[in-house]
Amino acid sequence: MGVRKPEDTRSFALCAHGGAGKTSLAEAMLFDNGNITRMGSVQNGNTVSDFQSEEQKRNISISTSLMTLERKGKTFYILDAPGYADFTGEMSAAIRVADTAVILVSSVGGIEVQTSKAWEYAEHHNAPVSFVISKMDRENADFDKVLADIKSQFSNNALPVFLPIGSADKFTGVVDVLKGKAYMYKPDGSGKFTESEVPADMVSSCESAKEALIEAAVEMDDALMEKYLEGESISDSDLERTFKQAVAKRRIMPVAALSSTMNIGVPQFMDFIADYFPSPVDIGAVEGAEPKVDAPFSALCFKILADAFVGKLSFMRVYSGKLSSEGSNIYNLNQGEDERISSFKLMTGKDGKDVKEVIAGDIVAIPKLQSARVGHTLTTKGGFSTQFKPIEFPKPVYSVAVIAKSRADEDKLGNAISRILEEDCSLTFEKNPETRDNVLSGMGDMHIDIVLAKMKERYGVELDTKTPQVPYRETIRKMSEAQGKHKKQSGGHGQYGDVYIRYRPLERGAGFEFIDSVVGGAVPRNFIPAVEKGLREYMTAGPLAGFPVVDFSAELYYGSYHDVDSSEMSFKLATRLSFRKGIMDANPVLLEPVMDVEVTVPERFMGDVMGDFNSRRGRIMGMEGHGKLQVVKAQCPLAEMFRYAIILRSMTSGEGSFSMEYSHYEEVPGDIAKKVIAAHKKEDEDEE
Ligand SMILES: Nc1nc2c(ncn2[C@@H]2O[C@H](COP(=O)(O)OP(=O)(O)O)[C@@H](O)[C@H]2O)c(=O)[nH]1
Ligand SMILES: [Mg+2]
């Protein structure tokens, strides 16, 4: 490599619905460019990109992988993002750090749920977009229909730059619209092609496609636009310049037809990427980071991988400046930690190649970096001074409680899970202090299955799972007064405590309040703290079903004592008697957590989704239209939501998505409360 410049970098994220052909396209690119000598396939589990064992077993991508290649003097950074809904956070992060989003749409399947997600993320990050209409060799491939759908659902700026010659088993090549040339392929998947004239029956469609490109490109330059409108012809160099600007500014979203597994049209698309995709310089400054080598060094850590093959790797996208791997430190702006670095690696799947220096625009991995977490800003001490915005990950929506299978598994659990959490930002692991469940939460059942498989394979930790317990609570609905008297005065040092406590309901969320209104020393001052302490202890397990008691006040207003036999312990035990009786007399009820839920579905599923909420005690709070999608807002008890990720997927054939967060506690309806109470009484007996 000679002196590298940010102008020579092309980074792009392959994103799409699962199965649209991203991983196969990355493989074909590596093959056609001569980086690999044999083309692997997703079915055989031997592609460069899907190198993790869980990916090879399942024949799908589960985390973003990076591939690096050189083409026409440009460095390509290819991010192959997973397409399944469970890993949508990975896709969003890939689009955030790449300069262009390449959205694949299958020529057979058309636009699917995650295609729309990819588009939304690209819009959100204001990323330049290119569309690939993939699998043109498949039966029923329909380029025109898919293009029309892209235009109507996403943007009219989607304009073809490569037209397919034939389709299905007659897909034999592509027409390069800008060059006005055809590329005809051998039908053997070898990727060998010859350049020729545009077939006669495609000349006019090629010309009108080019006209559309010119029309959009000249909008970038007023003077050129005028020339064009006056009928003057546009020179190739003017077109090239404005075309590139139009792609960077999202005025043109180039559309290419190809087949990865038949290897048709891929080399031409790569050359197009080298010529026309924006470089970091075309994109311009990102959050104050100038894409120049003489600016302060800044980079964003967007991925951590702790695979058995590769050890720990932190992936970063460099936004400004440069940094040599020799004798350098990296300063973590979020942690305030300075760390020695050993090397930078240009990654292709699991393989890394050392590179001495990184510059603005590069996407590389750093081995053995300790402090960096996903979303951290990396710089040099005293260098770049503002943190990049954190990378957004969707909140987990599917939870299981995990139980170690053996003592040995339990011992290893903490370490294993913390390493998996480092690399998986849409996963959480929390001990619920109320139910004492260890709750593992992610984006869906497949996500959790994969995490459990990784735990076993990488760290030898085996876990059982069960539905998490609902953290119910207890409260009271009316005022009560209860005396508690503890008296044991037969022989020796006796025990005596006697309290009168008034229990009152407080508003939801108020917690607990202790009121001391004892007058005249009916309960001596030095024993009152023992009464309060006792209450705070007993309220963690209420008399109704053993759940924490909340939202009430306890007023100690009267009592009696014995000069010799009273003690703190006697008063605590007296308090316990009062508490149990007082709560049971105050019309106790069970409370359950209620969630705010937002479901996004195509309009035709609205009725099903709303009907389903009725059957799970949900309340519809509102509806909003977003294009072809409808958002249903509802409140629903947590107890009814544990399997919702699976239920919604089957109800909408995978086209629905949802998010939820805790809203408030509410009374459990009587019949259901009875069942919960009975079940917990039984559990308590079983334990005893
Ligand atoms: N016929 C045909 N099949 C393809 C093509 N590209 C990918 N596939 C197949 O489609 C399936 C999904 O491909 P994959 O690359 O894993 O898609 P991804 O989920 O988007 O990464 C695999 O079985 C591929 O072999 C193509 O161009 N033509
Ligand atoms: Mg894939």
Side-chain angles (χ1 to χ4, degrees):
M1 255 188 259
V3 177
R4 300 187 311 128
K5 304 194 297 287
E7 287 85 337
D8 296 335
T9 298
R10 302 287 180 271
S11 61
F12 52 97
L14 302 176
C15 36
H17 197 80
K22 303 171 290 291
T23 300
S24 305
L25 177 56
E27 188 77 4
M29 285 181 166
L30 289 168
F31 176 76
D32 289 331
N33 200 53
N35 297 71
I36 52 176
T37 51
R38 240 189 80 229
M39 211 158 99
S41 80
V42 173
Q43 285 84 351
N44 296 337
N46 61 352
T47 59
V48 172
S49 178
D50 285 353
F51 61 86
Q52 294 193 42
S53 63
E54 282 307 310
E55 301 184 307
Q56 294 173 348
K57 261 187 243 160
R58 292 162 200 260
N59 302 119
I60 59 161
S61 311
I62 59 178
S63 84
T64 298
S65 56
L66 172 61
M67 279 137 300
T68 310
L69 60 82
E70 294 288 314
R71 179 101 181 164
K72 293 185 85 177
K74 308 288 190 288
T75 305
F76 282 23
Y77 294 111
I78 308 169
L79 290 162
D80 175 22
Y84 286 86
D86 285 25
F87 315 112
T88 158
E90 291 273 317
M91 180 161 86
S92 155
I95 294 176
R96 160 95 184 259
V97 297
D99 286 324
T100 304
V102 174
I103 302 180
L104 280 81
V105 190
S106 155
S107 60
V108 186
I111 292 170
E112 294 169 272
V113 190
Q114 293 300 310
T115 330
S116 305
K117 266 275 174 293
W119 170 254
E120 268 172 39
Y121 288 137
E123 290 257 283
H124 178 71
H125 294 298
N126 201 23
V129 170
S130 171
F131 291 98
V132 165
I133 299 185
S134 63
K135 304 190 182 181
M136 280 305 302
D137 60 297
R138 284 269 308 269
E139 206 179 321
N140 299 324
D142 193 340
F143 180 85
D144 292 336
K145 173 170 188 312
V146 173
L147 177 61
D149 288 348
I150 290 172
K151 280 176 181 280
S152 75
Q153 288 192 42
F154 300 148
S155 172
N156 275 318
N157 293 353
L159 299 171
V161 292
F162 292 103
L163 295 168
I165 302 174
S167 75
D169 55 356
K170 304 219 165 46
F171 179 53
T172 48
V174 292
V175 165
D176 183 327
V177 172
L178 284 171
K179 290 204 174 95
K181 294 279 179 205
Y183 297 87
M184 303 304 293
Y185 278 75
K186 284 196 159 176
D188 59 0
S190 64
K192 297 215 169 76
F193 60 86
T194 50
E195 188 181 292
S196 61
E197 295 310 310
V198 175
D201 61 343
M202 288 183 72
V203 168
S204 85
S205 58
C206 176
E207 271 170 8
S208 60
K210 181 160 183 180
E211 210 52 42
L213 293 175
I214 296 173
E215 237 169 68
V218 296
E219 278 182 28
M220 295 293 120
D221 179 332
D222 289 345
L224 200 63
M225 175 89 152
E226 244 166 69
K227 267 169 76 176
Y228 174 74
L229 291 176
E230 280 159 17
E232 278 185 55
S233 71
I234 305 296
S235 75
D236 283 351
S237 69
D238 274 340
L239 176 59
E240 208 173 294
R241 176 176 56 83
T242 50
F243 183 89
K244 224 183 142 182
Q245 288 171 0
V247 175
K249 295 274 176 298
R250 311 177 91 235
R251 175 60 188 89
I252 292 177
M253 300 179 175
V255 180
L258 53 77
S259 162
S260 305
T261 49
M262 287 308 292
N263 205 350
I264 296 175
V266 179
Q268 285 73 35
F269 184 50
M270 279 201 280
D271 290 344
F272 177 86
I273 290 171
D275 292 339
Y276 296 111
F277 270 26
S279 77
V281 178
D282 300 315
I283 300 286
V286 173
E287 296 182 50
E290 295 275 352
K292 293 180 185 152
V293 286
D294 54 5
F297 173 79
S298 73
L300 175 67
C301 174
F302 66 95
K303 175 185 170 69
I304 304 244
L305 180 67
D307 191 81
F309 288 111
V310 296
K312 181 171 168 184
L313 292 174
S314 306
F315 288 74
M316 65 170 182
R317 152 77 200 241
V318 182
Y319 283 100
S320 62
K322 63 176 182 195
L323 191 65
S324 158
S325 65
E326 272 157 40
S328 292
N329 280 14
I330 263 193
Y331 184 71
N332 184 321
L333 208 54
N334 301 67
Q335 303 280 79
E337 261 176 62
D338 207 28
E339 231 181 285
R340 192 79 183 196
I341 43 169
S342 50
S343 60
F344 296 126
K345 300 219 176 267
L346 292 173
M347 296 303 296
T348 294
K350 64 180 181 326
D351 299 320
K353 201 175 97 197
D354 281 341
V355 60
K356 286 211 169 62
E357 186 182 72
V358 291
I359 60 169
D362 284 340
I363 303 183
V364 298
I366 312 175
K368 299 191 190 76
L369 200 61
Q370 288 308 314
S371 68
R373 297 284 175 277
V374 171
H376 283 180
T377 302
L378 306 174
T379 175
T380 49
K381 210 158 187 180
F384 194 71
S385 59
T386 42
Q387 290 177 14
F388 290 118
K389 278 186 251 147
I391 298 181
E392 296 155 33
F393 285 91
K395 287 213 183 89
V397 291
Y398 180 82
S399 299
V400 294
V402 297
I403 309 116
K405 280 202 172 155
S406 71
R407 186 60 199 269
D409 292 317
E410 178 145 14
D411 292 343
K412 287 182 283 183
L413 174 66
N415 177 47
I417 196 79
S418 67
R419 287 164 71 180
I420 287 184
L421 285 169
E422 261 182 33
E423 49 171 72
D424 189 339
C425 295
S426 26
L427 190 73
T428 62
F429 183 71
E430 282 164 350
K431 186 172 186 97
N432 186 310
E434 289 177 25
T435 62
R436 278 180 254 128
D437 278 340
N438 284 314
V439 182
L440 188 62
S441 305
M443 301 312 297
D445 49 337
M446 175 154 70
H447 184 200
I448 295 295
D449 279 354
I450 287 170
V451 170
L452 295 173
K454 270 193 202 168
M455 294 277 281
K456 184 172 167 191
E457 189 192 280
R458 275 199 212 161
Y459 306 106
V461 179
E462 291 197 60
L463 299 170
D464 285 322
T465 62
K466 64 176 179 100
T467 305
Q469 293 175 69
V470 177
Y472 291 107
R473 292 178 183 168
E474 298 175 17
T475 193
I476 54 175
R477 279 202 301 199
K478 62 169 204 187
M479 199 263 276
S480 73
E481 291 176 346
Q483 180 192 12
K485 188 167 181 175
H486 177 71
K487 188 174 166 187
K488 254 191 195 159
Q489 289 175 309
S490 50
H493 198 357
Q495 298 176 20
Y496 186 93
D498 179 23
V499 294
Y500 286 77
I501 302 175
R502 189 172 291 130
Y503 301 90
R504 280 200 188 87
L506 294 180
E507 68 190 50
R508 200 64 62 241
F512 170 65
E513 195 186 336
F514 177 71
I515 303 159
D516 161 19
S517 62
V518 175
V519 287
V523 179
R525 288 286 108 196
N526 54 327
F527 294 136
I528 292 177
V531 174
E532 179 173 357
K533 207 165 145 233
L535 285 165
R536 288 192 186 275
E537 187 180 317
Y538 304 131
M539 66 187 255
T540 60
L544 193 59
F547 298 108
V549 186
V550 297
D551 305 340
F552 72 107
S553 68
E555 179 189 357
L556 175 65
Y557 63 93
Y558 187 65
S560 67
Y561 67 101
H562 186 275
D563 279 337
V564 180
D565 290 347
S566 281
S567 66
E568 282 187 14
M569 184 45 78
S570 315
F571 270 96
K572 236 180 116 183
L573 291 170
T575 301
R576 181 163 194 262
L577 296 172
S578 159
F579 177 75
R580 297 195 77 86
K581 178 163 187 305
I583 296 295
M584 290 314 280
D585 287 350
N587 197 357
V589 286
L590 219 51
L591 298 175
E592 64 179 341
V594 173
M595 311 299 283
D596 277 326
V597 188
E598 257 191 55
V599 188
T600 307
V601 288
E603 192 147 16
R604 65 183 188 283
F605 296 116
M606 284 269 287
D608 291 345
V609 167
M610 301 209 308
D612 177 71
F613 270 122
N614 283 334
S615 75
R616 49 186 77 242
R617 302 192 283 127
R619 258 194 311 268
I620 304 294
M621 308 299 284
M623 280 165 280
E624 272 168 32
H626 284 277
K628 297 201 162 143
L629 295 174
Q630 290 286 327
V631 177
V632 180
K633 294 185 181 183
Q635 289 192 331
C636 193
L638 174 65
E640 304 284 343
M641 290 301 291
F642 286 122
R643 294 182 60 75
Y644 196 67
I646 299 170
I647 286 158
L648 182 67
R649 190 177 57 215
S650 74
M651 194 160 49
T652 63
S653 350
E655 291 191 52
S657 64
F658 80 108
S659 64
M660 67 174 174
E661 57 186 51
Y662 164 75
S663 170
H664 62 279
Y665 269 84
E666 227 170 77
E667 268 179 41
V668 181
D671 46 336
I672 293 170
K674 258 187 215 143
K675 279 187 209 149
V676 175
I677 292 166
H680 279 265
K681 284 251 159 74
K682 178 154 189 320
E683 222 168 76
D684 282 350
E685 281 160 18
D686 290 350
E687 268 171 34
E688 273 161 18

